[in-house]
Amino acid sequence: MRAIFTVTLLLRYRTLFTSFIQEEDNKRLSITVFCKSLYVFLFLKIFFLWPVLPTVLRYLPYELRSPFHYLIFAPIKLAQYELNVFLGLMLLLLLIALIVRVNYFTSALIFWLSFSLSRVAFPIANGSDNVLNLFLFFAIFLSVTPAFKSEVLCTTQHIISNFTFLFCRIQLSLIYVLSGFDKLTSHPWRTGDAVYSIVNLDYFINPRLIIPFNGAVYIVLAWAIIVFELGFPFLIWFKRVRVYALATGIVFHIGIIFVLSLPDFGLVMLLMYSLFIPFRSKDELS
């Protein structure tokens, strides 16, 4: 009986996987919302980084010499006007990408320039830059525009896009699993010392907040974070509890935004949740 149950379960999930990969249109709106939310985030990031980047350039571990070397990731010495041109072109490209359909050309160029920007902003970069660039890279393969004229190639485009969409979901889950497992195997996290250290770092904690916690609260918070990061990536796959998992994650990351000095990380992780929101177009609802 156990063997029959196992085979039945495997066949069921194989059928679900096949249908998910081969469906052509039911994820187009979800992919559009996901990709363009990343573009909006990058646009805002550039807008707020622009005034401080000239100062940041002084602390780079390498020298910058020509704006064209961005395209080959070579060290360069960037003048102020060159930096302004580079950032201005990035903003213009993002505006165009927000207007037109998600396509291979703009997706690839945005990823390339975002990666280059991360190198320039290296002294003030954090985990949000890594997450953003990772999913901007995946966004290239989420595109199905321009479409091939051949029916076989067009179908292949949709299969690659759907598989990448599924892989993005898996990658988001892995981010939580690895972070939770790392905390679980860390003695400071298990004892609450890590939370105590975080809330007592002047450059990390929100200076407007005063958190007079005791040792027991630190332990409870630490284990709550561990349980959330290990439980979320599994619960998110079940439709019955997905809403509750997403709501818990939203509260968690809003806490990061307001309690810690990491608003960009909290925001980019919230944008990742659009991967699990079943957006439907008017045609799909009819």
Side-chain angles (χ1 to χ4, degrees), residues 38 61 63 108 110 135 204:
L38 294 183
E63 219 183 334
I110 287 172
F135 284 93
F204 206 31

Side-chain angles (χ1 to χ4, degrees), residues 1 15-16 47 112 156 183 225 271:
M1 291 294 295
T15 302
L16 290 174
F47 182 79
W112 198 273
T156 302
K183 291 179 175 63
I225 294 172
L271 294 179

